[in-house]
Amino acid sequence: MLERLRAVAALSLALLALVFAPRAEGSVARAVTLRALVTRSALVATCTPLEATSRWENVGGRRRIVTDTRVRVDRRVAGEALGGELIVRTLGGQVGEVGQVVSGEAVLIPGEASLLFFTRRADGQLAVTALAQGQFRLAPDAQGVVRLHPSPWRATLVDARDSAARALAGRALPEATRLIEEAARAK
């Protein structure tokens, strides 16, 4: 009986440890400043993903899943005017029953608006600058003010004190736009 009570107590402690344990992070990245994010980007715009297509492709000598997402440019904030719709490439996705997650990569969900920083890859295609650090979800607060929210898929940031995430998170869209435009002028 005493052994059974000890086993139940040990199991209870283990379950409590699991429930109250801090969240484990999947990746760590050096934080990018707002100025660096703007400087590295060909375009900064509010966009709404319309549809996404994933497929297998050779990336870096290995077969990987890549996703091309067609996005509508709702408003250009800074950089080149690249058109009303763009194709953006991200790593990871799902093909059939197989899914791949690339830790720290931006995830563009059809219908979910974001402020996106775009860079040109060597092959000319667009990607999100600095992976998920270049994606800020747009959502209205309780008063209906659209605010920026860092991507939930971004890596844990090192040296985040001067990061773009810290500079833009929680800001109203017009205020964030002003900060980005100022950083673009200082380029």
Side-chain angles (χ1 to χ4, degrees):
M1 179 73 160
L2 187 57
E3 285 182 32
R4 191 174 188 175
L5 283 174
R6 284 185 184 153
V8 168
L11 181 60
S12 297
L13 286 173
L15 287 173
L16 281 171
L18 284 174
V19 169
F20 294 106
R23 189 176 131 209
E25 299 295 337
S27 64
V28 175
R30 184 161 307 283
V32 177
T33 65
L34 179 58
R35 185 174 180 155
L37 198 56
V38 171
T39 299
R40 294 179 192 174
S41 298
L43 170 67
V44 182
T46 60
C47 299
T48 302
L50 302 173
E51 64 181 352
T53 306
S54 299
R55 68 180 176 291
W56 289 99
E57 192 171 288
N58 286 324
V59 176
R62 299 180 77 178
R63 295 222 4 109
R64 301 280 187 217
I65 295 176
V66 298
T67 299
D68 287 336
T69 304
R70 184 170 58 95
V71 301
R72 179 184 66 235
V73 175
D74 298 318
R75 180 172 182 259
R76 183 178 70 84
V77 175
E80 304 172 30
L82 298 176
E85 287 189 4
L86 307 170
I87 302 295
V88 183
R89 164 103 14 117
T90 53
L91 300 175
Q94 184 168 343
V95 175
E97 303 262 330
V98 179
Q100 286 185 345
V101 174
V102 175
S103 209
E105 175 67 278
V107 176
L108 306 176
I109 299 171
E112 188 176 285
S114 291
L115 174 78
L116 295 168
F117 292 77
F118 295 107
T119 189
R120 282 204 185 280
R121 296 169 10 121
D123 62 7
Q125 292 194 314
L126 292 174
V128 179
T129 308
L131 304 172
Q133 288 187 67
Q135 177 186 20
F136 292 85
R137 294 179 317 138
L138 300 176
D141 63 15
Q143 290 74 38
V145 176
V146 175
R147 297 195 177 275
L148 276 67
H149 303 275
S151 172
W153 300 281
R154 75 164 198 238
T156 299
L157 301 179
V158 176
D159 296 333
R161 185 181 28 197
D162 296 324
S163 69
R166 182 173 250 168
L168 297 177
R171 294 203 189 260
L173 182 56
E175 182 182 10
T177 298
R178 182 184 53 75
L179 291 173
I180 293 164
E181 289 168 344
E182 287 173 5
R185 282 192 296 274
K187 243 171 147 172

